[in-house]
Amino acid sequence: MSSEMLPAFIETSNVDKKQGINEHQEESQKPRLGEGCEPISKRQMKKLIKQKQWEEQRELRKQKRKEKRKRKKLERQCQMESNSDGNDRKRVRRDVVHSTLRLIIDCSFDDLMVLKDIKKLHKQIQRCYAENRRALHPVQIYLTSHGGQLKKNMDENDKGWVNWKDIHIKPEHYSELIKKEDLIYLTSDSPNILKELDESKAYVIGGLVDHNHHKGLTYKQASDYGINHAQLPLGNFVKMNSRKVLAVNHVFEIILEYLETRDWQEAFFTILPQRKGAVPTDKTCESASHDSQSVRMEGGSDSDSSEEEDSRNELDSPREEKQDKENHTESTGNSLPH
């Protein structure tokens, strides 16, 4: 090879080497199978396809929402025009008569409940608020001693509570907000039977979900504070086969129903859940009398029959107990009169 051709040959070989190095670098930079880039599964592929379709249909969904809003607005306008006496909703609201009665949910038992029961109490309070908003004779609701676990749970799971209307939510104890002579604590341990509702008074419901572990606690608190106490007249109208305990919202709804009907028996049978097995006391007496006569005819003792009947009415069956536990509205310390 001549000396003239040698430089050209060296330059060509250097170019080839650089190209080889570049190709090798590109190959090394490509992800190898099983090295940092795993094959996509069918499930992942479906997710990617769905995500892509979701993004592509974004504008279509937006357009559909606009059309739905326009349609709803048009329907409302047509409904308003078709009402001969004006807006029907406003006409209904004029029939609502607000009661001066105050109902207080006492939340001072926060430290006696586990988180599970706190959440159940929260749901019961939500139910009370919703029912009061729909009632023909809404009462003035007070939520007192509001704080601790209950407030934290409401902040985390129901942030809209801060916008609730027609309700007084206070961190103070009810005894600091209402005059002592106006307070009446509703507790089944009280010897006093409530006959009528005095709408100038403030009735206190114990906000306690304790599965009947703290018997007599609300009665003791009322006595310690020196305030009046009473129990609902349920024993005068109803006999039940299940646990003698009511949830906060049941007590609340019974009072709302009574304000509308002025009939305790109708209020009880409208609100009490069917699982409680509630029957009118007059039918219970007839049944007990019939059983007593049957026993005497068979040569049994009248007193034994009466005791057996009382035993059957006081004990809960396992099936009813199970239904009570599974029900989303758990029983609280607001028990029924025995």
Side-chain angles (χ1 to χ4, degrees):
M1 182 178 295
S2 65
S3 58
E4 294 178 354
M5 295 177 63
L6 186 59
F9 175 75
I10 293 173
E11 185 177 352
T12 303
S13 62
N14 288 337
V15 171
D16 291 340
K17 284 181 181 179
K18 287 180 180 180
Q19 288 178 348
I21 291 171
N22 291 336
E23 289 176 359
H24 179 71
Q25 287 176 347
E26 288 176 1
E27 286 294 329
S28 62
Q29 290 175 357
K30 289 181 181 179
R32 295 181 183 177
L33 188 63
E35 292 184 3
C37 183
E38 298 180 358
I40 298 176
S41 66
K42 291 182 179 179
R43 181 177 295 178
Q44 291 173 325
M45 182 63 72
K46 287 181 179 178
K47 286 184 178 179
L48 290 174
I49 293 172
K50 285 183 179 180
Q51 181 66 26
K52 186 178 179 181
Q53 291 175 345
W54 175 266
E55 295 294 336
E56 290 174 350
Q57 295 175 1
R58 186 187 298 274
E59 289 299 321
L60 180 62
R61 291 194 306 274
K62 187 177 180 180
Q63 185 64 29
K64 284 184 177 180
R65 286 196 297 271
K66 285 184 179 180
E67 292 175 358
K68 186 177 179 180
R69 285 195 295 269
K70 288 180 181 179
R71 187 170 64 252
K72 290 283 186 183
K73 185 178 180 180
L74 184 62
E75 288 175 358
R76 286 196 298 270
Q77 290 175 347
C78 292
Q79 187 176 3
M80 290 172 65
E81 292 171 1
S82 64
N83 289 333
S84 58
D85 56 350
N87 193 319
D88 208 32
R89 290 173 63 188
K90 289 184 179 180
R91 183 177 60 82
V92 171
R93 290 301 296 176
R94 283 199 296 268
D95 293 337
V96 172
V97 179
H98 290 265
S99 172
T100 56
L101 184 143
R102 290 159 289 179
L103 269 182
I104 302 168
I105 300 177
D106 175 20
C107 303
S108 63
F109 307 101
D110 194 87
D111 58 334
L112 298 178
M113 291 182 284
V114 296
L115 181 59
K116 180 181 177 182
D117 292 334
I118 290 288
K119 290 181 177 180
K120 290 170 184 173
L121 175 61
H122 177 202
K123 288 183 179 179
Q124 293 175 13
I125 292 170
Q126 286 177 315
R127 180 69 180 266
C128 293
Y129 173 75
E131 290 299 323
N132 195 57
R133 295 282 291 173
R134 288 194 289 262
L136 287 177
H137 300 288
V139 299
Q140 299 181 38
I141 310 181
Y142 283 78
L143 206 63
T144 61
S145 300
H146 183 250
Q149 297 181 87
L150 178 62
K151 183 179 184 300
K152 182 180 179 182
N153 184 71
M154 292 174 70
D155 287 337
E156 292 175 353
N157 302 306
D158 184 21
K159 295 180 180 179
W161 72 266
V162 295
N163 298 318
W164 284 2
K165 299 177 181 179
D166 303 320
I167 184 171
H168 308 278
I169 302 177
K170 304 290 184 181
E172 295 87 0
H173 193 266
Y174 61 84
S175 61
E176 301 175 34
L177 302 170
I178 310 293
K179 291 188 293 184
K180 183 184 291 188
E181 55 268 26
D182 290 344
L183 291 166
I184 300 176
Y185 213 115
L186 297 176
T187 169
S188 66
D189 298 299
S190 172
N192 307 319
I193 307 296
L194 195 65
K195 294 181 180 179
E196 295 285 340
L197 288 176
D198 185 346
E199 296 195 39
S200 67
K201 299 295 184 182
Y203 294 88
V204 185
I205 303 172
L208 176 63
V209 179
D210 69 335
H211 310 283
N212 219 18
H213 293 159
H214 300 282
K215 295 181 180 179
L217 183 61
T218 52
Y219 176 64
K220 183 179 182 301
Q221 184 180 111
S223 300
D224 291 345
Y225 280 102
I227 64 175
N228 293 324
H229 44 77
Q231 59 171 281
L232 294 178
L234 196 140
N236 297 340
F237 300 95
V238 179
K239 190 70 176 179
M240 300 202 314
N241 295 327
S242 67
R243 292 187 300 167
K244 308 301 186 292
V245 178
L246 284 181
V248 170
N249 60 293
H250 289 154
V251 178
F252 193 97
E253 291 173 53
I254 286 170
I255 291 176
L256 288 180
E257 187 68 23
Y258 177 78
L259 289 174
E260 182 177 342
T261 63
R262 296 293 170 176
D263 186 326
W264 281 117
Q265 182 162 311
E266 184 176 344
F268 293 139
F269 283 98
T270 300
I271 302 303
L272 289 177
Q274 291 183 355
R275 71 178 188 279
K276 294 286 185 182
V279 294
T281 51
D282 53 354
K283 290 186 179 180
T284 305
C285 293
E286 291 174 5
S287 175
S289 176
H290 177 73
D291 292 344
S292 175
Q293 290 175 4
S294 300
V295 171
R296 283 200 297 270
M297 288 174 65
E298 295 171 2
S301 167
D302 184 31
S303 61
D304 291 343
S305 171
S306 177
E307 290 175 3
E308 185 178 355
E309 181 67 24
D310 289 340
S311 177
R312 283 199 301 269
N313 287 327
E314 288 296 324
L315 294 176
D316 299 334
S317 67
R319 184 177 180 182
E320 288 167 342
E321 183 72 14
K322 183 178 180 181
Q323 288 176 340
D324 281 349
K325 289 180 180 178
E326 292 175 349
N327 189 273
H328 75 281
T329 306
E330 289 293 321
S331 300
T332 70
N334 304 294
S335 54
L336 307 182
H338 300 288

